[in-house]
Amino acid sequence: MNIKDSVVFVTGANRGLGLAFATEALRLGAKKVYAGVRNPADTDTPGIIQIKFDVTDSASISAAAKRCADTTLLVNNAGITRLTSSVLDPQMITDAREIFEINYYGTISVTQAFAPILAANGGGAIVNVLSDATWFARPLLAAYSASKSAAWSFTNALRIELRSQKTAVVGVHVSFMDTDMTHGFEMKKIHPNQVAEAALIGVETNSDEVLVDEFTKQVKQSLSSKDAVYFNPPEIA
């Protein structure tokens, strides 16, 4: 599908990658962008309409879907992470439940609400923001990695099911981005605008999957080689 003249709904759009998706979609000619945010605030960006939205609140999702019934492109971006000192730390269970509620169940709930809208509007596309952590679980991010692996599995199943309604499903995988989520981490980071641009180009080129940066490409490539078990990415400092 073309981004030009599309109507886009982005979850978690108040800052970081979500805001980058909103502004990049407008740059590529989107007619309108709905920015799903927990706490709407005054904004003077023409074309961006803030919608009070919480991916863990079914009433919020239903209200947004009803109000934004002209949506043709859904971007499931909302997500959180928690650092765990050890995979053996009992706190990981609590963290994993919180993370899955947003990163996995939230993605499913929003998709279930908006997929019929996309079908009614002729098809369109869904972008699910995933991660290189889908395939490589660092101990500090084990719960987050598990949620993204689960979301990847859902994305792949969703792609098959929605073909009949002419809705494309794009999985976007990326390494560390320069956002609030990685504040304080010392490593190479990619700018969120680059990620949003690559993802939306993936929509326009009918890509099933977008591997944004070279590091993410290396991670996935390693899985199909004899070197997979030896793959050793940089440490988080």
Side-chain angles (χ1 to χ4, degrees):
M1 68 170 289
N2 292 324
I3 304 303
K4 183 175 173 57
D5 295 327
S6 65
V7 177
V8 185
F9 191 103
V10 184
T11 69
N14 59 314
R15 63 182 184 275
L17 181 58
L19 182 57
F21 265 111
T23 57
E24 188 62 25
L26 287 177
R27 188 185 72 81
L28 292 175
K31 180 166 55 178
K32 184 192 304 181
V33 176
Y34 295 115
V37 297
R38 285 179 180 267
N39 299 299
D42 292 336
T43 176
D44 57 0
T45 304
I48 295 182
I49 303 169
Q50 289 194 342
I51 304 294
K52 186 173 178 59
F53 193 75
D54 182 345
V55 301
T56 66
D57 182 348
S58 59
S60 168
I61 295 171
S62 296
K66 184 176 181 179
R67 178 177 174 183
C68 307
D70 54 346
T71 298
T72 59
L73 171 59
L74 170 66
V75 179
N76 283 312
N77 164 73
I80 64 168
T81 189
R82 296 286 183 266
L83 296 182
T84 304
S85 60
S86 165
V87 295
L88 303 181
D89 185 344
Q91 179 63 32
M92 181 178 165
I93 295 176
T94 300
D95 290 343
R97 288 190 174 118
E98 180 187 14
I99 291 169
F100 265 77
E101 195 64 36
I102 295 174
N103 296 6
Y104 181 60
Y105 297 116
T107 295
I108 294 174
S109 297
V110 175
T111 300
Q112 289 178 343
F114 276 86
I117 291 172
L118 299 181
N121 292 331
I126 297 173
V127 172
N128 287 343
V129 176
L130 303 171
S131 171
D132 69 336
T134 298
W135 305 302
F136 187 88
R138 303 163 179 84
L140 284 174
L141 297 171
Y144 173 79
S145 295
S147 74
K148 290 301 184 179
S149 294
W152 182 46
S153 180
F154 171 70
T155 298
N156 293 335
L158 181 68
R159 183 179 300 114
I160 296 170
E161 181 161 336
L162 296 193
R163 283 174 182 163
S164 62
Q165 71 168 54
K166 298 181 180 179
T167 297
V169 178
V170 184
V172 178
H173 299 266
V174 63
S175 187
F176 292 100
M177 291 179 286
D178 191 9
T179 64
D180 289 349
M181 188 179 288
T182 63
H183 179 71
F185 291 179
E186 296 299 327
M187 80 278 285
K188 185 177 180 180
K189 302 174 187 178
I190 187 170
H191 196 280
N193 285 86
Q194 294 176 263
V195 180
E197 180 182 23
L200 294 178
I201 289 174
V203 171
E204 294 197 320
T205 57
N206 299 313
S207 300
D208 287 343
E209 209 162 63
V210 175
L211 308 182
V212 178
D213 56 291
E214 287 304 315
F215 183 73
T216 299
K217 293 174 184 177
Q218 291 172 19
V219 172
K220 189 174 185 185
Q221 184 177 19
S222 77
L223 300 181
S224 60
S225 74
K226 63 181 179 61
D227 298 322
V229 294
Y230 303 112
F231 186 79
N232 187 28
E235 295 291 331
I236 299 174

